[in-house]
Amino acid sequence: MEFKVNSKVLEKLLSKVIPAVPSRTPMPILENFLFEIKDGLLKVSATDLEVSLRTSINVAADESISIVIPARLIYDIIRSLNETQITFQTEGVGKLKLTTDNGVYNIGYSPSEDFPEIPEVSREKEITINGADFKRAIDKTSFAMSKEDMRPAMTGTLFEFTPEGLRFVSTDGHRLVKFIRTDIKTGAEEQYIVPERAISILSKLLGDSDINLYLSKTNILFNTGDIEFVSRLIGEKYPAYSSVIPMENENALKIGRTDLNSAIKRMMLFSSSSSKQVKFSLSKNLLEVSAEDIDHGSNAAERIKCEYKGDKMDIGFNTQYVNDILSHFDDEQVVFKLHSPTKACIIEPVEEKENEDLLMLLMPVRLNS
């Protein structure tokens, strides 16, 4: 078997698939790329059994072949080369020779029989989403996914198809994000939980072009045109998140997001490393944020102008969580809707963007007496 390919074209191809190669695994076969050539098409696949990536290019090949090649080794070789033509040739049993103008590189390969099959997902039902809109939705929500394996459903992002649109939801029990694309409606009411690893890879793959989604009970397929990305779904029931979203938060704090976020970053320097606590002291049109680290004898307080309508209130939050939430808004102003120092707080943009509905929720912490 022999085929030729440009080094930079191949590097780009392999870079799309390498994220699915596990860095450590008890199954050595997963540390390989699957190279398949048939009818002049080279398909390259990789999987860690949770996520799978596959892409292809046309090549001039003299025969069909299916082999597995050490992924990191060939990827590192290809990306270290200057732009050049590479000739691939199989020689004898288990030897692959790469030849360029200046060098020869021999790599061992194996038959493909032991490489896991990439799950097939029915394409009967197709959902098309603009790539930029999709990326915005998962970037707005994914930071709130749980890192704790005790509740597997919360370690992923919920894709929920509803009559009002496609909801993206994530929560770790301390904060919650609900982002709705009101222009994506399928007529069905279904829930799918996509794992964190898949969300991370997907965020890097998405561009401005449309992406097609195909769903089964166990897997989800994303097709961007030149890349097929399959991920297993988390087979758990997502928590009833709507029940924790308060309906009566009558106290409203309207404030400049940048001013508040800058102050919170400074409070993070003064909050205790154990509690990471910041206190919001609210009175008419004034917010004071303060933090104290008793162990190191340091404290700080800042006053920020705002619009506040409601009862005087002292309420505590985790500084890191407040910073995370504010960093994921891109609006000039946000609104904090509060009920009491012990009830969840809702944070929303003052003005929603077209076809979007964004809500973030943050649980308060008990203030040090």
Side-chain angles (χ1 to χ4, degrees), residues 5 9 81 88 101 143 151 189 216-217 221 226 228 287 316 344 364:
V5 64
V9 172
L81 295 171
F88 284 72
D101 291 339
F143 75 94
R151 302 183 72 181
E189 294 189 44
S216 71
K217 289 184 178 180
L221 166 62
D226 61 341
E228 290 186 357
L287 167 66

Side-chain angles (χ1 to χ4, degrees), residues 306-321:
C306 62
E307 293 180 27
Y308 177 65
K309 296 179 181 178
D311 301 330
K312 278 191 173 184
M313 189 185 307
D314 288 343
I315 186 170
F317 296 109
N318 179 299
T319 50
Q320 184 62 59
Y321 293 162

Side-chain angles (χ1 to χ4, degrees), residues 29 74 77 115 138-139 142 178 186 207 219 238 242 297 319 349-350:
I29 192 69
I74 193 167
I77 291 171
F115 195 85
I138 62 176
D139 287 349
S142 59
K178 181 179 72 171
T186 64
N219 293 282
Y238 205 76
S242 294
T319 50
V350 172

